[in-house]
Amino acid sequence: MIGKDSLFRTGNISPELHDIAEKIFNGERITDEQGLLLFEKGSLPFLGSLANHIREKLHGDRTYFNRNLHIEPTNVCVFSCNFCSYSRLYADREQGWELSADDMLNMVKKYDGKPITEVHIVGGVHPKLNLEFFADILKRIKAHRPHLHIKGFTAVELDYMFRKAKMTNEEGLKYLQQAGLDSLPGGGAEIFHPEVREQICADKVSTEGWLKIHETAHRLGMHSNATILYGHIETYSHRIDHMSRLRQLQDETKGFNTFIPLKFRNKDNDMSNVPESSIVEDMKMYAVARIYLDNFPHLKAYWPMLGRQNAQLSLSFGVNDIDGTIDDTTKIYSMAGAEEQNPSMTTSELVTLIKQVKRKPIERDTLYNEIRDYSEIDLRDIELSPSLN
Protein backbone atom coordinates (compact mmCIF):
# COMPACT_ATOMS: atom_id res chain seq x y z
CA MET A 1 0.00 0.00 0.00
CA ILE A 2 1.45 3.37 -0.98
CA GLY A 3 2.08 5.81 1.85
CA LYS A 4 0.88 9.40 1.94
CA ASP A 5 4.40 10.86 1.78
CA SER A 6 5.28 8.67 -1.20
CA LEU A 7 2.16 9.80 -3.04
CA PHE A 8 2.88 13.46 -2.46
CA ARG A 9 6.39 13.03 -3.81
CA THR A 10 5.17 11.55 -7.11
CA GLY A 11 4.68 14.88 -8.89
CA ASN A 12 2.80 18.15 -9.04
CA ILE A 13 -0.40 17.89 -7.02
CA SER A 14 -2.69 20.90 -6.72
CA PRO A 15 -3.78 22.05 -3.26
CA GLU A 16 -7.32 20.82 -4.02
CA LEU A 17 -6.11 17.33 -4.92
CA HIS A 18 -3.77 17.38 -1.91
CA ASP A 19 -6.79 18.04 0.33
CA ILE A 20 -8.66 15.10 -1.22
CA ALA A 21 -5.71 12.80 -0.64
CA GLU A 22 -5.51 13.94 2.99
CA LYS A 23 -9.18 13.07 3.39
CA ILE A 24 -8.66 9.63 1.91
CA PHE A 25 -5.72 8.81 4.17
CA ASN A 26 -7.74 10.05 7.14
CA GLY A 27 -10.69 7.86 6.19
CA GLU A 28 -12.99 10.81 5.51
CA ARG A 29 -15.73 11.10 2.88
CA ILE A 30 -15.16 13.29 -0.17
CA THR A 31 -17.83 15.67 -1.46
CA ASP A 32 -19.55 15.61 -4.83
CA GLU A 33 -17.43 18.58 -5.89
CA GLN A 34 -14.25 16.73 -4.95
CA GLY A 35 -15.40 13.65 -6.84
CA LEU A 36 -15.92 15.79 -9.92
CA LEU A 37 -12.46 17.33 -9.45
CA LEU A 38 -10.92 13.85 -9.41
CA PHE A 39 -12.50 13.09 -12.79
CA GLU A 40 -11.46 16.43 -14.26
CA LYS A 41 -8.01 17.01 -12.77
CA GLY A 42 -6.72 13.79 -11.25
CA SER A 43 -3.94 12.06 -13.16
CA LEU A 44 -4.33 8.31 -13.66
CA PRO A 45 -1.35 7.43 -11.41
CA PHE A 46 -2.72 9.70 -8.67
CA LEU A 47 -6.22 8.21 -8.89
CA GLY A 48 -4.86 4.67 -9.04
CA SER A 49 -2.72 5.23 -5.94
CA LEU A 50 -5.66 6.53 -3.91
CA ALA A 51 -8.06 3.84 -5.14
CA ASN A 52 -5.53 1.09 -4.49
CA HIS A 53 -4.90 2.46 -1.00
CA ILE A 54 -8.60 2.12 -0.22
CA ARG A 55 -8.83 -1.29 -1.87
CA GLU A 56 -5.91 -2.66 0.12
CA LYS A 57 -7.13 -1.06 3.33
CA LEU A 58 -10.45 -2.88 2.87
CA HIS A 59 -9.30 -6.16 1.33
CA GLY A 60 -5.52 -6.35 1.17
CA ASP A 61 -4.52 -8.39 -1.88
CA ARG A 62 -7.68 -10.48 -1.78
CA THR A 63 -9.55 -10.64 -5.09
CA TYR A 64 -12.92 -12.33 -5.24
CA PHE A 65 -14.63 -14.49 -7.84
CA ASN A 66 -17.52 -16.91 -7.77
CA ARG A 67 -18.67 -19.96 -9.70
CA ASN A 68 -21.83 -19.02 -11.48
CA LEU A 69 -23.92 -19.44 -14.57
CA HIS A 70 -26.08 -16.91 -16.37
CA ILE A 71 -29.55 -17.63 -17.69
CA GLU A 72 -31.02 -15.13 -20.14
CA PRO A 73 -34.69 -16.12 -20.50
CA THR A 74 -35.30 -13.92 -23.54
CA ASN A 75 -33.90 -11.08 -25.61
CA VAL A 76 -37.40 -9.97 -26.60
CA CYS A 77 -38.11 -6.61 -24.98
CA VAL A 78 -40.92 -4.07 -24.94
CA PHE A 79 -38.41 -1.27 -24.36
CA SER A 80 -36.16 0.32 -26.95
CA CYS A 81 -33.05 1.63 -25.21
CA ASN A 82 -30.78 3.38 -27.68
CA PHE A 83 -27.59 1.81 -26.29
CA CYS A 84 -28.85 -1.78 -26.37
CA SER A 85 -27.49 -4.28 -28.91
CA TYR A 86 -29.19 -7.23 -27.24
CA SER A 87 -32.95 -6.78 -27.30
CA ARG A 88 -35.33 -7.54 -30.15
CA LEU A 89 -38.95 -6.61 -30.68
CA TYR A 90 -41.57 -9.30 -30.16
CA ALA A 91 -42.26 -9.38 -33.91
CA ASP A 92 -38.62 -10.20 -34.72
CA ARG A 93 -38.92 -14.00 -34.86
CA GLU A 94 -35.55 -14.51 -36.57
CA GLN A 95 -33.31 -12.89 -33.95
CA GLY A 96 -35.51 -13.05 -30.89
CA TRP A 97 -35.50 -15.99 -28.50
CA GLU A 98 -37.41 -17.08 -25.43
CA LEU A 99 -36.61 -20.01 -23.19
CA SER A 100 -39.23 -22.22 -21.63
CA ALA A 101 -39.25 -23.10 -17.95
CA ASP A 102 -37.95 -26.56 -18.90
CA ASP A 103 -35.12 -25.00 -20.93
CA MET A 104 -33.99 -22.95 -17.94
CA LEU A 105 -34.22 -25.82 -15.49
CA ASN A 106 -32.20 -27.98 -17.87
CA MET A 107 -29.49 -25.31 -17.94
CA VAL A 108 -29.25 -25.60 -14.16
CA LYS A 109 -29.31 -29.41 -14.31
CA LYS A 110 -26.31 -29.31 -16.64
CA TYR A 111 -24.30 -28.28 -13.58
CA ASP A 112 -25.42 -31.13 -11.36
CA GLY A 113 -22.41 -32.39 -9.44
CA LYS A 114 -20.45 -29.22 -10.16
CA PRO A 115 -19.73 -26.74 -7.34
CA ILE A 116 -21.41 -23.63 -8.71
CA THR A 117 -22.96 -21.39 -6.05
CA GLU A 118 -25.06 -18.91 -8.05
CA VAL A 119 -27.44 -18.69 -10.98
CA HIS A 120 -27.88 -15.18 -12.41
CA ILE A 121 -31.16 -14.65 -14.27
CA VAL A 122 -31.52 -11.50 -16.37
CA GLY A 123 -33.04 -10.84 -19.78
CA GLY A 124 -35.35 -8.68 -21.82
CA VAL A 125 -38.83 -7.57 -20.79
CA HIS A 126 -41.06 -9.97 -22.72
CA PRO A 127 -44.70 -8.85 -23.03
CA LYS A 128 -46.06 -12.37 -22.46
CA LEU A 129 -43.82 -13.59 -19.62
CA ASN A 130 -45.36 -12.62 -16.31
CA LEU A 131 -44.67 -12.74 -12.58
CA GLU A 132 -46.20 -16.19 -12.14
CA PHE A 133 -44.04 -17.61 -14.94
CA PHE A 134 -40.84 -16.46 -13.28
CA ALA A 135 -42.00 -17.46 -9.79
CA ASP A 136 -42.57 -20.98 -11.12
CA ILE A 137 -39.02 -21.08 -12.49
CA LEU A 138 -37.62 -19.99 -9.13
CA LYS A 139 -39.58 -22.70 -7.33
CA ARG A 140 -38.43 -25.39 -9.76
CA ILE A 141 -34.76 -24.38 -9.46
CA LYS A 142 -34.96 -24.35 -5.66
CA ALA A 143 -36.73 -27.72 -5.60
CA HIS A 144 -33.96 -29.19 -7.75
CA ARG A 145 -31.02 -27.47 -6.02
CA PRO A 146 -32.12 -25.85 -2.74
CA HIS A 147 -28.79 -24.26 -1.82
CA LEU A 148 -28.12 -22.59 -5.16
CA HIS A 149 -28.32 -18.82 -4.71
CA ILE A 150 -30.68 -17.20 -7.23
CA LYS A 151 -29.78 -13.63 -8.15
CA GLY A 152 -32.39 -12.48 -10.57
CA PHE A 153 -34.18 -9.75 -12.48
CA THR A 154 -33.19 -6.14 -12.92
CA ALA A 155 -35.37 -3.37 -11.55
CA VAL A 156 -36.55 -2.83 -15.14
CA GLU A 157 -37.88 -6.39 -15.35
CA LEU A 158 -39.34 -6.26 -11.85
CA ASP A 159 -41.09 -2.93 -12.40
CA TYR A 160 -42.83 -4.33 -15.50
CA MET A 161 -43.77 -7.60 -13.78
CA PHE A 162 -45.23 -5.85 -10.74
CA ARG A 163 -47.21 -3.28 -12.73
CA LYS A 164 -48.62 -6.02 -14.94
CA ALA A 165 -49.58 -8.07 -11.85
CA LYS A 166 -51.04 -4.96 -10.17
CA MET A 167 -48.76 -5.45 -7.18
CA THR A 168 -46.72 -2.98 -5.18
CA ASN A 169 -42.94 -3.36 -5.11
CA GLU A 170 -43.16 -4.89 -1.66
CA GLU A 171 -45.91 -7.34 -2.60
CA GLY A 172 -44.09 -8.41 -5.76
CA LEU A 173 -40.70 -8.81 -4.11
CA LYS A 174 -42.19 -10.82 -1.23
CA TYR A 175 -43.93 -13.06 -3.75
CA LEU A 176 -40.68 -13.75 -5.61
CA GLN A 177 -38.71 -14.05 -2.37
CA GLN A 178 -41.07 -16.76 -1.17
CA ALA A 179 -40.67 -18.51 -4.54
CA GLY A 180 -36.86 -18.60 -4.14
CA LEU A 181 -35.37 -15.26 -5.20
CA ASP A 182 -32.38 -14.50 -2.98
CA SER A 183 -30.93 -11.21 -4.27
CA LEU A 184 -31.07 -8.67 -7.09
CA PRO A 185 -28.48 -7.80 -9.73
CA GLY A 186 -27.69 -4.16 -10.41
CA GLY A 187 -28.70 -3.81 -14.05
CA GLY A 188 -31.01 -1.22 -15.53
CA ALA A 189 -29.53 1.69 -13.59
CA GLU A 190 -27.77 3.10 -16.69
CA ILE A 191 -27.48 6.84 -15.84
CA PHE A 192 -29.84 8.27 -13.25
CA HIS A 193 -29.74 11.92 -14.28
CA PRO A 194 -32.97 12.69 -16.19
CA GLU A 195 -31.07 14.78 -18.75
CA VAL A 196 -29.32 11.65 -20.01
CA ARG A 197 -31.90 9.02 -19.13
CA GLU A 198 -34.46 10.78 -21.31
CA GLN A 199 -32.12 10.48 -24.29
CA ILE A 200 -30.93 6.88 -23.94
CA CYS A 201 -33.74 4.92 -22.21
CA ALA A 202 -36.78 7.15 -21.82
CA ASP A 203 -39.41 4.40 -21.69
CA LYS A 204 -37.97 2.13 -19.00
CA VAL A 205 -38.29 2.38 -15.21
CA SER A 206 -37.46 5.83 -13.85
CA THR A 207 -34.54 6.62 -11.58
CA GLU A 208 -36.91 6.91 -8.63
CA GLY A 209 -38.49 3.56 -9.54
CA TRP A 210 -35.10 1.81 -9.78
CA LEU A 211 -33.96 3.15 -6.42
CA LYS A 212 -37.29 2.34 -4.76
CA ILE A 213 -37.19 -1.30 -5.87
CA HIS A 214 -33.69 -1.73 -4.47
CA GLU A 215 -34.60 0.09 -1.27
CA THR A 216 -37.61 -2.19 -0.83
CA ALA A 217 -35.49 -5.29 -1.46
CA HIS A 218 -33.00 -4.14 1.17
CA ARG A 219 -35.76 -3.56 3.69
CA LEU A 220 -36.97 -7.12 3.06
CA GLY A 221 -33.51 -8.46 3.86
CA MET A 222 -32.40 -8.99 0.26
CA HIS A 223 -29.05 -7.67 -0.89
CA SER A 224 -28.47 -6.22 -4.34
CA ASN A 225 -25.79 -4.79 -6.60
CA ALA A 226 -25.65 -1.45 -8.42
CA THR A 227 -24.31 -0.48 -11.83
CA ILE A 228 -23.61 2.52 -14.01
CA LEU A 229 -23.45 2.58 -17.81
CA TYR A 230 -20.62 4.98 -18.59
CA GLY A 231 -18.67 6.21 -21.57
CA HIS A 232 -21.36 7.47 -23.95
CA ILE A 233 -23.09 10.88 -23.89
CA GLU A 234 -22.90 11.48 -20.14
CA THR A 235 -20.59 13.99 -18.46
CA TYR A 236 -18.46 13.55 -15.36
CA SER A 237 -21.07 15.47 -13.36
CA HIS A 238 -23.72 12.96 -14.47
CA ARG A 239 -21.52 10.14 -13.16
CA ILE A 240 -21.12 11.85 -9.79
CA ASP A 241 -24.86 12.52 -9.60
CA HIS A 242 -25.47 8.81 -10.28
CA MET A 243 -23.05 7.64 -7.60
CA SER A 244 -24.33 10.26 -5.15
CA ARG A 245 -27.83 8.79 -5.30
CA LEU A 246 -26.43 5.31 -4.69
CA ARG A 247 -24.23 6.47 -1.82
CA GLN A 248 -27.21 8.14 -0.18
CA LEU A 249 -29.37 5.01 -0.42
CA GLN A 250 -26.51 2.86 0.86
CA ASP A 251 -26.21 5.16 3.89
CA GLU A 252 -29.86 4.43 4.61
CA THR A 253 -30.08 0.68 3.93
CA LYS A 254 -26.55 -0.78 3.71
CA GLY A 255 -28.02 -3.31 1.29
CA PHE A 256 -25.70 -2.98 -1.71
CA ASN A 257 -22.93 -5.56 -2.01
CA THR A 258 -20.95 -4.18 -4.92
CA PHE A 259 -20.77 -1.44 -7.53
CA ILE A 260 -20.17 -2.46 -11.14
CA PRO A 261 -19.21 0.15 -13.75
CA LEU A 262 -20.36 -1.11 -17.16
CA LYS A 263 -18.64 0.23 -20.26
CA PHE A 264 -20.84 1.35 -23.14
CA ARG A 265 -20.23 -0.73 -26.26
CA ASN A 266 -21.32 0.69 -29.61
CA LYS A 267 -21.76 -2.30 -31.92
CA ASP A 268 -25.15 -2.74 -33.63
CA ASN A 269 -27.18 -0.25 -31.64
CA ASP A 270 -28.75 3.17 -32.12
CA MET A 271 -25.72 4.87 -30.56
CA SER A 272 -23.11 3.32 -32.84
CA ASN A 273 -21.95 6.81 -33.79
CA VAL A 274 -20.78 7.43 -30.21
CA PRO A 275 -17.13 6.41 -29.74
CA GLU A 276 -16.27 4.06 -26.89
CA SER A 277 -14.22 5.21 -23.92
CA SER A 278 -10.47 4.64 -23.81
CA ILE A 279 -8.80 2.28 -21.37
CA VAL A 280 -7.54 5.36 -19.50
CA GLU A 281 -11.13 6.53 -19.04
CA ASP A 282 -12.15 3.03 -17.97
CA MET A 283 -9.53 2.91 -15.23
CA LYS A 284 -10.41 6.45 -14.16
CA MET A 285 -14.04 5.36 -13.75
CA TYR A 286 -13.06 2.45 -11.51
CA ALA A 287 -10.66 4.54 -9.45
CA VAL A 288 -13.05 7.43 -8.80
CA ALA A 289 -15.85 4.99 -8.00
CA ARG A 290 -13.67 3.30 -5.38
CA ILE A 291 -12.69 6.64 -3.87
CA TYR A 292 -16.17 8.18 -3.91
CA LEU A 293 -18.32 5.20 -2.88
CA ASP A 294 -16.84 4.85 0.58
CA ASN A 295 -19.83 2.87 1.91
CA PHE A 296 -19.78 0.20 -0.82
CA PRO A 297 -17.72 -2.76 0.41
CA HIS A 298 -16.83 -4.09 -3.05
CA LEU A 299 -16.04 -2.83 -6.56
CA LYS A 300 -16.41 -5.28 -9.43
CA ALA A 301 -14.97 -5.35 -12.94
CA TYR A 302 -17.11 -7.52 -15.20
CA TRP A 303 -14.37 -9.34 -17.12
CA PRO A 304 -16.46 -10.40 -20.18
CA MET A 305 -17.10 -6.72 -20.86
CA LEU A 306 -13.55 -5.44 -20.30
CA GLY A 307 -11.55 -8.41 -21.51
CA ARG A 308 -9.14 -10.45 -19.40
CA GLN A 309 -6.09 -8.21 -19.53
CA ASN A 310 -8.02 -5.04 -18.78
CA ALA A 311 -9.77 -6.82 -15.91
CA GLN A 312 -6.32 -7.61 -14.53
CA LEU A 313 -5.33 -3.96 -14.88
CA SER A 314 -8.43 -2.83 -13.01
CA LEU A 315 -7.17 -4.67 -9.92
CA SER A 316 -4.68 -1.80 -9.51
CA PHE A 317 -7.44 0.81 -9.71
CA GLY A 318 -9.64 -0.13 -6.78
CA VAL A 319 -11.31 -3.30 -8.08
CA ASN A 320 -11.40 -6.33 -5.79
CA ASP A 321 -13.85 -8.60 -7.68
CA ILE A 322 -13.86 -9.84 -11.28
CA ASP A 323 -17.17 -11.77 -11.28
CA GLY A 324 -17.20 -15.48 -12.03
CA THR A 325 -16.73 -18.42 -14.35
CA ILE A 326 -19.96 -17.64 -16.33
CA ASP A 327 -19.30 -20.48 -18.82
CA ASP A 328 -20.41 -18.80 -22.06
CA THR A 329 -24.00 -18.38 -20.88
CA THR A 330 -24.35 -14.63 -21.46
CA LYS A 331 -24.85 -12.77 -24.74
CA ILE A 332 -25.69 -9.27 -23.50
CA TYR A 333 -22.18 -7.87 -23.94
CA SER A 334 -20.87 -10.14 -26.68
CA MET A 335 -23.69 -8.89 -28.95
CA ALA A 336 -22.57 -5.32 -28.24
CA GLY A 337 -18.98 -5.99 -29.30
CA ALA A 338 -17.35 -6.79 -25.95
CA GLU A 339 -13.78 -8.07 -25.80
CA GLU A 340 -14.94 -11.57 -24.84
CA GLN A 341 -17.17 -13.03 -27.56
CA ASN A 342 -17.40 -16.43 -25.82
CA PRO A 343 -17.17 -15.54 -22.15
CA SER A 344 -16.07 -18.58 -20.19
CA MET A 345 -13.26 -19.26 -17.76
CA THR A 346 -12.49 -22.29 -15.66
CA THR A 347 -11.63 -21.82 -12.02
CA SER A 348 -7.96 -22.50 -12.75
CA GLU A 349 -7.99 -19.83 -15.48
CA LEU A 350 -9.55 -17.28 -13.13
CA VAL A 351 -7.07 -18.15 -10.39
CA THR A 352 -4.18 -17.78 -12.84
CA LEU A 353 -5.52 -14.44 -14.05
CA ILE A 354 -5.56 -13.09 -10.50
CA LYS A 355 -2.22 -14.57 -9.45
CA GLN A 356 -0.46 -13.10 -12.50
CA VAL A 357 -0.92 -9.61 -11.05
CA LYS A 358 0.18 -10.63 -7.54
CA ARG A 359 -3.27 -10.77 -5.98
CA LYS A 360 -4.81 -13.54 -3.86
CA PRO A 361 -7.72 -15.37 -5.53
CA ILE A 362 -10.59 -16.00 -3.14
CA GLU A 363 -13.72 -17.89 -4.14
CA ARG A 364 -16.81 -16.30 -2.61
CA ASP A 365 -20.53 -16.85 -2.62
CA THR A 366 -22.97 -14.19 -3.80
CA LEU A 367 -23.00 -12.43 -0.42
CA TYR A 368 -19.18 -12.43 -0.19
CA ASN A 369 -18.85 -15.18 2.33
CA GLU A 370 -15.45 -16.72 1.59
CA ILE A 371 -15.53 -20.31 0.36
CA ARG A 372 -11.90 -21.07 -0.46
CA ASP A 373 -8.54 -19.31 -0.61
CA TYR A 374 -6.80 -20.42 -3.80
CA SER A 375 -3.59 -18.48 -3.26
CA GLU A 376 -1.65 -21.50 -1.97
CA ILE A 377 -3.33 -24.21 -4.09
CA ASP A 378 -1.28 -25.63 -6.94
CA LEU A 379 -2.88 -25.12 -10.34
CA ARG A 380 -2.36 -28.78 -11.20
CA ASP A 381 -4.43 -29.75 -8.19
CA ILE A 382 -7.22 -27.41 -9.31
CA GLU A 383 -7.28 -28.87 -12.81
CA LEU A 384 -7.33 -32.46 -11.54
CA SER A 385 -9.96 -31.99 -8.86
CA PRO A 386 -13.64 -31.53 -9.87
CA SER A 387 -14.35 -29.94 -6.48
CA LEU A 388 -11.71 -27.26 -7.06
CA ASN A 389 -12.27 -26.51 -10.75
Side-chain angles (χ1 to χ4, degrees), residues 337-356:
E339 299 295 331
E340 298 284 338
Q341 286 298 295
N342 299 291
S344 177
M345 271 202 276
T346 64
T347 303
S348 58
E349 287 173 327
L350 268 171
V351 167
T352 299
L353 192 82
I354 294 166
K355 283 186 173 182
Q356 282 174 341

Side-chain angles (χ1 to χ4, degrees), residues 83-310:
F83 58 81
C84 186
S85 310
Y86 172 81
S87 67
R88 297 294 182 268
L89 296 174
Y90 182 64
D92 187 350
R93 295 299 187 183
E94 289 187 8
Q95 295 188 341
W97 78 77
E98 54 191 87
L99 303 179
S100 69
D102 286 342
D103 291 333
M104 288 182 254
L105 184 60
N106 287 335
M107 289 178 72
V108 173
K109 287 181 176 179
K110 197 174 82 170
Y111 291 85
D112 286 357
K114 297 180 181 179
I116 60 166
T117 58
E118 173 191 291
V119 55
H120 178 121
I121 307 175
V122 163
V125 179
H126 195 295
K128 293 192 174 182
L129 302 183
N130 58 21
L131 187 66
E132 290 74 20
F133 173 80
F134 287 110
D136 178 62
I137 291 166
L138 298 176
K139 290 174 184 175
R140 293 178 68 179
I141 291 173
K142 283 294 186 180
H144 178 73
R145 195 160 179 170
H147 301 297
L148 187 64
H149 185 106
I150 303 177
K151 180 172 70 179
F153 316 120
T154 66
V156 181
E157 295 167 88
L158 294 171
D159 174 69
Y160 185 83
M161 284 186 218
F162 299 162
R163 286 190 289 111
K164 194 171 181 179
K166 295 181 170 53
M167 288 186 178
T168 65
N169 290 336
E170 183 172 353
E171 289 169 342
L173 282 167
K174 281 183 175 179
Y175 182 77
L176 291 176
Q177 191 176 28
Q178 290 166 3
L181 185 64
D182 295 303
S183 67
L184 306 187
E190 323 313 357
I191 291 285
F192 288 147
H193 198 286
E195 199 173 88
V196 180
R197 201 171 189 84
E198 182 66 26
Q199 294 182 64
I200 67 171
C201 55
D203 56 350
K204 74 190 332 177
V205 67
S206 68
T207 294
E208 293 71 24
W210 191 99
L211 292 168
K212 195 64 183 176
I213 284 173
H214 282 259
E215 178 187 353
T216 305
H218 297 170
R219 305 241 182 251
L220 293 174
M222 302 169 73
H223 285 79
S224 70
N225 295 338
T227 61
I228 183 173
L229 182 71
Y230 73 91
H232 43 92
I233 64 171
E234 91 287 359
T235 65
Y236 289 147
S237 62
H238 292 139
R239 295 184 194 179
I240 292 296
D241 173 80
H242 186 98
M243 292 191 290
S244 178
R245 297 175 198 240
L246 291 173
R247 191 167 76 171
Q248 182 177 344
L249 181 55
Q250 181 75 331
D251 278 343
E252 296 170 8
T253 67
K254 299 177 174 60
F256 288 116
N257 281 327
T258 186
F259 182 61
I260 314 162
L262 297 173
K263 177 188 178 84
F264 164 70
R265 293 288 186 174
N266 65 7
K267 179 184 176 184
D268 294 335
N269 58 48
D270 291 338
M271 293 172 64
S272 293
N273 61 307
V274 178
E276 295 180 357
S277 61
S278 67
I279 188 62
V280 170
E281 279 297 315
D282 295 338
M283 294 306 119
K284 183 183 287 189
M285 181 68 235
Y286 285 107
V288 176
R290 181 61 285 171
I291 296 164
Y292 181 87
L293 290 172
D294 58 345
N295 55 4
F296 271 65
H298 304 283
L299 179 67
K300 182 193 292 188
Y302 185 53
W303 69 261
M305 176 200 67
L306 273 183
R308 302 180 191 210
Q309 289 185 325
N310 290 339

